[in-house]
Each structure stands twice: as C-alpha cells, then as structure tokens.
Amino acid sequence: TAYALDAAIGKALTSIDPQRALASLEQAYRSYPGDRTPEGTRDLFRACLGTNQVGKARELLADIENLAKQDVTLGGLLRRIAYDWAEFNYARQDYREAVNAYTLVMNTPGGLLATDEQWAAYQRANALFFAGELESAQEQYLTIAESSSPWAAEARTRADVMQLDSRLRRTTL
C-alpha cells in the first residue's frame, strides 16, 4: 500500500536524514489513516522525538490516547508511545511530564515487556524524587523494593537514604 511505502521510506531515512524521515512518516500517517499500523505510528512518534518536534509528539500522543479510549486494542501502542515519551522527558529533565507519562504507562495494560514495566515504575519513582514529590517517591521506592524488580535493591537503597535524610532533618530542626 501507499502507506506501507511511505512508512518504509520514512523508517529507512531515520538515521540518514531525520527531517525527511519525519516528513515521509507524517505523509503516511496523515494521508492513509485506514492503513496505519502500530509500528508505523510508533516510528512517527520516535521521529518526532528524534527531531525534537515536541509539540507534534505531544499531539500524536493525545491522538493515540483518544483513539485507545475507543479501541482497546490500541492500549499496547499507547503504552509503548507513553513509555517513549516518559523516557524522552526524563532525559531532558522535564520530571513533571515524565511522571505523568510513566503514570500513563503504568495505568495502561499491554504492550511492554515485564522488565520495561519495572523500569517504568523505577523511573517514575526517580522522576517523582526529582520533581520534589518526596513522599510519593519514597512510597514508590518502597513498593519496588518489596517486589521482584531488577531494581529492587536500588529502590531499597534510595528509600533508606530518603528515610535517613528525613530523620536527620527532624533532629536538626
């Protein structure tokens, strides 16, 4: 199909010419809505992030979120895109936006490996910490510490340090 051709061209251009890749992926997405695929949609989303088109990425995320409310089979796509959005915002130190995106990841079923889910929970706790929501961060760290997460030990350490810091602050006041 024409969608598949435009999407394939866009994907192939991603590492060579990100702007042209984005244009091709957008062309496919906008011109052939009935032929869209989850993979092509995620490629478009990642191209938006890769070219720092934050507004376009946010708009696409909102579109997918609305579509997923009508079609539950899009939950996995929404979750993967929200994960990409969370990681992008965490990396650029927009911790409030990262918290919101990780929360969406955690509240949407399907579409991620168990280790990605566990990473999202851990990164949400870190984002809460850096956003200044210390009590919520500590609660999340404690939950992770009691789980089978590969990051349980790190979460336990962070929760213990936060608890010690809290005690020290109370004694110095």
Side-chain angles (χ1 to χ4, degrees):
T1 67
Y3 172 85
L5 179 61
D6 282 347
I9 290 169
K11 187 170 186 167
L13 287 171
T14 301
S15 62
I16 301 165
D17 187 346
Q19 292 296 334
R20 282 186 51 209
L22 176 60
S24 185
L25 290 164
E26 278 185 307
Q27 170 70 27
Y29 187 82
R30 302 282 179 232
S31 298
Y32 310 104
D35 294 331
R36 292 177 187 158
T37 65
E39 180 183 323
T41 302
R42 190 172 187 200
D43 289 341
L44 171 58
F45 188 77
R46 287 179 162 180
C48 290
L49 298 179
T51 55
N52 209 29
Q53 299 291 319
V54 176
K56 286 181 181 182
R58 186 177 281 121
E59 181 182 310
L60 184 57
L61 175 61
D63 288 348
I64 300 303
E65 198 170 357
N66 287 329
L67 289 171
K69 289 175 184 173
Q70 301 163 9
D71 182 354
V72 294
T73 64
L74 295 176
L77 171 63
L78 172 60
R79 195 171 199 206
R80 289 187 302 276
I81 285 177
Y83 182 86
D84 293 340
W85 181 242
E87 294 285 289
F88 174 80
N89 282 291
Y90 189 92
R92 66 184 193 132
Q93 299 179 351
D94 185 346
Y95 298 115
R96 173 66 5 236
E97 191 66 35
V99 167
N100 293 338
Y102 285 124
T103 301
L104 180 58
V105 169
M106 294 170 66
N107 292 334
T108 305
L112 286 181
L113 300 172
T115 53
D116 290 338
E117 284 183 28
Q118 293 163 333
W119 177 250
Y122 181 68
Q123 284 294 82
R124 182 177 180 273
N126 290 331
L128 284 164
F129 176 82
F130 289 120
E133 296 183 35
L134 302 182
E135 287 182 29
S136 295
Q138 188 171 22
E139 287 174 22
Q140 180 107 27
Y141 285 136
L142 289 171
T143 299
I144 295 164
E146 299 301 320
S147 74
S148 62
S149 170
W151 296 277
E154 288 89 347
R156 167 61 63 201
T157 300
R158 289 182 184 241
D160 290 347
V161 167
M162 289 179 75
Q163 188 174 29
L164 178 60
D165 182 61
S166 177
R167 275 193 236 143
L168 288 172
R169 285 182 191 203
R170 281 194 301 261
T171 59
T172 59
L173 293 177

